[in-house]
Amino acid sequence: MMISTKGRYALRVMLDLAGHMQDGYIPLAAIAARQHISEKYLESILSVLSKAGMLRALRGKGGGYKLAKAPEAYSVYDILCLTEGTLAPVACLEAGQSCENSAACSTYPLWQGLDETVRNYLAGFTLLDVLHMKKP
């Protein structure tokens, strides 16, 4: 499993907004400058996050983006699943998929365990947790 730039940037943006909650709505240009992300690419990420209800958007003067909920209400897993589509290590574990060979597949339990481990690990961290992590 490889997290794409879209997923990594979405997480960085959500952390940026969590760290600047006291500032109200944050303009796209300010986020892009702080995170070194192109405004055009950032706009597409913010659109996905906004449509999913993770962000509130306000147009016009004084507008921008802010978190729709408190930072502790967002799990890293939810953010990455939204932007990545899936974090499943193999196609047969993706939502809505089934494998007719799963009962006979000797590796299926291995992939299930990996999927569960990744899900539990990432779901165990909120934006607030990551904000308070020590940097190397």
Side-chain angles (χ1 to χ4, degrees):
M1 165 189 59
M2 180 79 82
I3 305 296
S4 70
T5 55
K6 185 177 184 180
R8 293 192 320 267
Y9 288 178
L11 184 57
R12 284 176 36 196
V13 165
M14 295 292 283
L15 288 165
D16 185 278
L17 291 172
H20 292 88
M21 284 191 70
Q22 71 282 359
D23 299 338
Y25 285 93
I26 309 293
L28 181 140
I31 302 166
R34 281 195 298 259
Q35 295 301 317
H36 307 288
I37 302 171
S38 84
E39 289 187 29
K40 186 172 179 91
Y41 192 37
L42 180 58
E43 195 169 18
S44 69
I45 294 168
L46 291 170
S47 175
V48 169
L49 295 168
S50 293
K51 286 178 183 171
M54 289 191 170
L55 299 179
R56 289 199 178 118
L58 182 64
R59 294 184 184 269
K61 186 172 171 78
Y65 297 87
K66 70 177 184 176
L67 297 181
K69 300 181 276 189
E72 59 271 18
Y74 297 94
S75 79
V76 170
Y77 181 78
D78 290 340
I79 295 165
L80 291 177
C81 278
L82 174 65
T83 54
E84 295 295 316
T86 182
L87 296 177
V90 291
C92 59
L93 289 173
E94 291 178 5
Q97 298 295 318
S98 63
C99 178
E100 56 207 42
N101 195 33
S102 64
C105 179
S106 58
T107 61
Y108 190 75
L110 175 75
W111 302 131
Q112 277 184 313
L114 177 60
D115 187 48
E116 185 177 323
T117 300
V118 169
R119 185 178 342 105
N120 290 340
Y121 179 79
L122 294 174
F125 291 98
T126 67
L127 288 179
L128 190 62
D129 295 330
V130 179
L131 275 177
H132 292 128
M133 284 182 168
K134 291 187 180 186
K135 294 180 180 123

